[in-house]
């Protein structure tokens, strides 16, 4: 029998509060998310901070606080700032760097900026404290961001994250931590020479995105590619359109065979990202989206900006049966 999927709070409960803030993580915890995601990049002095991008300008006021610190491409890179400088920044809802307009206009107001950039160690301490006070056990779902780019800049994000997990004891909790990355070689290194005792998730994007990896994502979705992934990882994190292909003329969902191919090889399938305010074409509501991915595609977990809505959906499903 297929078990209920795990609910991964994507950047926290970021449908309600600015992404990767401790407030968004506390809300996701209170909502009952099974795992809470941390994207990790490094500051100039090698501190692991929780930030989706290697840049600071889409979610902080860095351009106002540190004018003139952009690189030639006009972007402000986290790795060019010490932790003391990053602590001076205020985090706001994600905006377009060119226009300053909110990416999701109906979410938390983009201004004023009320929050700070947390370190990975601080976030782990917060979630561990909430686990204790609320009597539960919530997981970490950590993405190693652009490890090859960090290496070219002279820093090692993979070893830094593992060191923090060792210091906090989470490295010995394989039931409570996933490590994910778009780069296959980083995951192979974690499984091989670094002997990381934690489950690994191979993120699968589009080749056109220009991710920090030489991997062919189209190949990874083939039977041979999934055989390769199964040699080092415990699961895949595919993009929603890799599973949902649209609708037939009669209105039923068209699904790829990616889920069944992966599960046949013992791989978990945790697609990203289910959003109430960014539905795939042809989907009329968030419940329909959940019906397709949970009821029809039968995925093992999902990443969502709205963990409360998914938890409520799962509770209703149990009641209905």
């Amino acid at each position: 029998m297929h078990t209920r999927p795990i609910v991964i709070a994507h950047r926290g409960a970021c449908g309600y509060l600015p992404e990767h803030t401790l407030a968004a993580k506390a809300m996701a915890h209170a909502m009952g998310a099974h795992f809470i995601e941390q994207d990790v990049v490094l500051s100039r002095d090698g501190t692991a901070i929780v930030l989706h991008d290697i840049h600071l300008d889409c979610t902080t006021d860095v351009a106002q606080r540190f004018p003139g610190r952009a690189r030639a491409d006009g972007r402000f890179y986290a790795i060019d700032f010490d932790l003391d400088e990053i602590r001076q920044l205020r985090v706001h809802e994600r905006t377009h760097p060119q226009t300053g307009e909110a990416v999701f206009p109906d979410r938390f107001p983009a201004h004023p900026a009320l929050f700070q950039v947390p370190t990975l160690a601080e976030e782990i301490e917060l979630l561990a404290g909430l686990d204790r006070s609320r009597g539960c056990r919530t997981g970490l779902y950590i993405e190693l961001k652009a490890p090859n780019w960090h290496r070219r800049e002279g820093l090692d994000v993979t070893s830094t994250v593992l060191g923090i997990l060792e210091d906090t004891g989470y490295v010995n909790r394989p039931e409570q931590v996933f490590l994910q990355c778009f780069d296959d070689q980083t995951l192979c290194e974690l499984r091989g020479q670094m002997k990381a005792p934690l489950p690994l998730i191979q993120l699968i994007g589009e080749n056109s995105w220009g991710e920090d990896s030489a991997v062919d994502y189209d190949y990874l979705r083939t039977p041979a590619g999934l055989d390769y992934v199964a040699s080092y990882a415990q699961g895949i994190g595919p993009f929603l359109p890799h599973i949902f292909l649209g609708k037939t003329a009669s209105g039923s969902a068209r699904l790829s065979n990616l889920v069944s191919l992966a599960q046949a090889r013992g791989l978990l399938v945790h697609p990203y990202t289910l959003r109430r305010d960014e539905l795939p074409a042809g989907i009329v509501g968030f419940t329909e989206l959940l019906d397709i991915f949970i009821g029809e595609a039968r995925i093992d977990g999902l990443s969502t900006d709205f963990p409360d809505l998914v938890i409520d959906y799962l509770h209703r499903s149990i009641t209905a049966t």
Side-chain angles (χ1 to χ4, degrees), residues 150-212:
H150 275 93
R151 194 172 293 114
R152 291 191 296 271
E153 293 285 324
L155 295 175
D156 186 346
V157 67
T158 308
S159 295
T160 301
V161 167
L162 276 186
I164 292 169
L165 293 176
E166 289 172 359
D167 292 343
T168 56
Y170 277 81
V171 77
N172 297 314
R173 303 182 194 178
E175 77 288 350
Q176 205 174 354
V177 182
F178 283 101
L179 295 177
Q180 60 176 337
C181 191
F182 278 102
D183 182 54
D184 61 327
Q185 292 306 305
T186 295
L187 295 176
C188 287
E189 180 181 352
L190 279 164
R191 177 60 63 234
Q193 65 192 77
M194 301 183 80
K195 302 189 184 307
L198 298 169
L200 307 178
I201 300 293
Q202 173 67 63
L203 289 169
I204 301 178
E206 298 286 359
N207 291 337
S208 61
W209 291 353
E211 286 292 338
D212 180 48

Side-chain angles (χ1 to χ4, degrees), residues 6-11 37 270-275 301-305:
I6 63 168
V7 179
I8 305 155
H10 179 247
R11 310 180 201 174
E37 185 196 35
H270 297 166
Y272 64 90
T273 305
L274 281 75
R275 296 183 170 107
L302 57 89
S303 184
T304 179
D305 294 2

Side-chain angles (χ1 to χ4, degrees), residues 261-319:
L261 286 174
Q263 291 174 342
R265 288 157 174 80
L267 292 168
L268 300 168
V269 181
H270 297 166
Y272 64 90
T273 305
L274 281 75
R275 296 183 170 107
R276 177 180 63 185
D277 47 5
E278 191 178 55
L279 299 170
I283 302 297
V284 297
F286 196 60
T287 296
E288 182 185 10
L289 185 66
L290 296 175
D291 285 342
I292 290 170
F293 277 87
I294 296 174
E296 297 184 46
R298 300 177 71 79
I299 44 86
D300 301 290
L302 57 89
S303 184
T304 179
D305 294 2
F306 300 91
D308 60 325
L309 301 185
V310 184
I311 294 290
D312 288 346
Y313 174 92
L314 294 175
H315 286 165
R316 290 197 307 271
S317 299
I318 291 174
T319 303

